[in-house]
């Protein structure tokens, strides 16, 4: 038969270990705290979900390597779902992005994912407060030959965003991916909106928060914050939006 394309994914990627069964096949990935129910939109055991993965996923070998390492981590579920990461990479390519902001790096899977598709002079400003997790992915960035495209800033993301604005970088970024503490998601969004060019895209992860947004508890600040931002985005005339039931829900905001 014909040769497999370089980045095609054999079935074992989707089946994988027990951990991958949760962190990969469901795609329902919370950032702080493990959701009580990890049901994807279709259902992780659904043959249809398996079909989607089998017929759409092309995972770069270095991404696969980092995913397998991350899957063994106690907080492995925090990693972005692979199908969603692939969409982010496709969007970055589609708009010919050169400057990208990532808020929330974890082990750097999506950082690597975006760096791989950026041009050689492209940059990912990668924001996180925990260098221990990032150390897991850093060797893979180097191995993949994209380390020079990644500008890692270990400090509160708000501080980094303020520094970028103060240094005159407003409206110079093409793409932003927000996947960090949910209590600050509105502030991240507002600052990214100032940094992004017209026609640029902001992707906000975990907008469904394992379904908790349906009935946000008064004492659950994370869910309240996500729900308020979701309501605000619906009416935000500065952007066009699409909310996608992918992973734990992702909203794409296209700056007008």
């Amino acid at each position: 038969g014909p040769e497999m394309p370089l980045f095609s994914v054999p079935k074992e990627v989707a089946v994988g270990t027990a951990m991958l069964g949760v962190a990969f096949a469901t795609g329902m990935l919370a950032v702080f705290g493990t959701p009580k129910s990890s049901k994807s939109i279709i259902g992780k055991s659904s043959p249809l979900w398996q079909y989607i993965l089998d017929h759409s996923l092309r995972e770069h070998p270095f991404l696969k390597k980092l995913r397998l390492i991350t899957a063994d981590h106690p907080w492995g579920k925090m990693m972005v779902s692979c199908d969603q990461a692939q969409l982010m990479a496709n969007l970055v390519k589609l708009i010919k992005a050169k400057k990208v902001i990532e808020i929330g790096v974890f082990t750097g899977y999506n950082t690597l994912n975006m760096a791989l598709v950026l041009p050689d002079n492209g940059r990912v400003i990668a924001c996180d407060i925990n260098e221990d997790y990032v150390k897991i992915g850093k060797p893979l960035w180097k191995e993949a030959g994209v380390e020079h495209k990644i500008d890692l800033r270990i400090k509160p993301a708000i501080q980094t965003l303020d520094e970028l604005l103060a240094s005159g970088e407003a409206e110079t970024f093409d793409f932003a991916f927000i996947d960090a503490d949910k209590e600050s998601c509105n502030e991240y969004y507002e600052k990214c909106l100032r940094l992004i060019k017209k026609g640029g895209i902001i992707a906000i992860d975990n907008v469904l928060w394992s379904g908790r947004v349906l009935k946000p508890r008064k004492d659950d600040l994370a869910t309240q914050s996500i729900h308020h931002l979701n309501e605000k985005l619906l009416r935000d005339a500065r952007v066009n939006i699409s909310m996608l039931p992918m992973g734990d829900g992702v909203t794409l905001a296209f700056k007008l």
Side-chain angles (χ1 to χ4, degrees):
E3 274 186 54
M4 295 287 276
L6 179 61
F7 301 148
S8 74
V9 177
K11 200 161 192 166
E12 53 87 15
V13 167
V15 180
T17 62
M19 181 63 210
L20 291 179
V22 178
F24 178 72
T26 72
M28 295 298 282
L29 307 167
V31 167
F32 290 108
T34 306
K36 283 192 178 72
S37 77
S38 283
K39 289 177 186 168
S40 70
I41 306 305
I42 295 173
K44 65 178 178 180
S45 57
S46 163
L48 196 54
W49 180 242
Q50 187 62 54
Y51 183 90
I52 290 169
L53 296 178
D54 287 346
H55 291 85
S56 68
L57 200 67
R58 302 174 182 180
E59 193 178 34
H60 191 287
F62 287 115
L63 284 173
K64 179 184 174 181
K65 198 169 171 183
L66 181 50
R67 173 171 57 76
L68 292 171
I69 294 165
T70 304
D72 289 332
H73 193 277
W75 290 98
K77 289 183 195 176
M78 295 200 323
M79 195 185 83
V80 67
S81 67
C82 309
D83 53 327
Q84 186 182 322
Q86 184 170 294
L87 175 63
M88 297 307 117
N90 283 333
L91 289 171
V92 164
K93 279 196 283 192
L94 178 71
I95 63 171
K96 297 181 170 62
K98 282 187 179 167
K99 287 177 74 178
V100 172
I101 303 166
E102 183 184 39
I103 301 171
V105 176
F106 188 40
T107 63
Y109 181 92
N110 195 44
T111 324
L112 174 58
N113 169 60
M114 294 191 293
L116 282 165
V117 297
L118 284 173
D120 202 55
N121 63 345
R123 289 291 175 273
V124 182
I125 308 287
C127 309
D128 210 302
I129 50 170
N130 190 322
E131 201 159 13
D132 291 341
Y133 297 151
V134 183
K135 278 176 186 165
I136 297 168
K138 259 179 143 178
L140 273 296
W141 298 350
K142 193 169 186 176
E143 225 181 305
V146 296
E147 194 182 31
H148 65 287
K149 299 184 198 177
I150 299 166
D151 180 354
L152 180 64
R153 313 266 180 110
I154 300 290
K155 60 175 83 167
I158 294 294
Q159 206 178 315
T160 297
L161 297 173
D162 283 340
E163 284 166 6
L164 293 170
L165 288 165
S167 64
E169 295 196 56
E171 301 203 337
T172 66
F173 284 85
D174 305 290
F175 188 89
F177 185 72
I178 301 173
D179 184 11
D181 60 301
K182 303 309 163 192
E183 291 82 355
S184 307
C185 58
N186 181 64
E187 207 174 348
Y188 295 145
Y189 168 69
E190 285 297 334
K191 290 184 190 296
C192 284
L193 199 58
R194 288 169 63 193
L195 286 162
I196 292 284
K197 294 173 182 173
K198 283 182 180 174
I201 303 171
I202 301 172
I204 303 150
D205 201 14
N206 304 106
V207 294
L208 299 179
W209 207 228
S210 300
R212 285 188 289 249
V213 288
L214 292 173
K215 282 187 178 175
R217 293 199 325 266
K218 285 197 174 76
D219 61 342
D220 184 349
L221 194 57
T223 307
Q224 292 280 357
S225 301
I226 295 164
H227 179 59
H228 288 319
L229 181 57
N230 287 342
E231 296 213 306
K232 170 176 152 172
L233 284 165
L234 177 63
R235 297 172 180 82
D236 194 338
R238 300 169 295 176
V239 291
N240 283 335
I241 62 165
S242 286
M243 184 188 272
L244 308 178
M246 182 176 238
D248 193 21
V250 60
T251 293
L252 303 176
F254 302 84
K255 184 173 174 177
L256 298 170

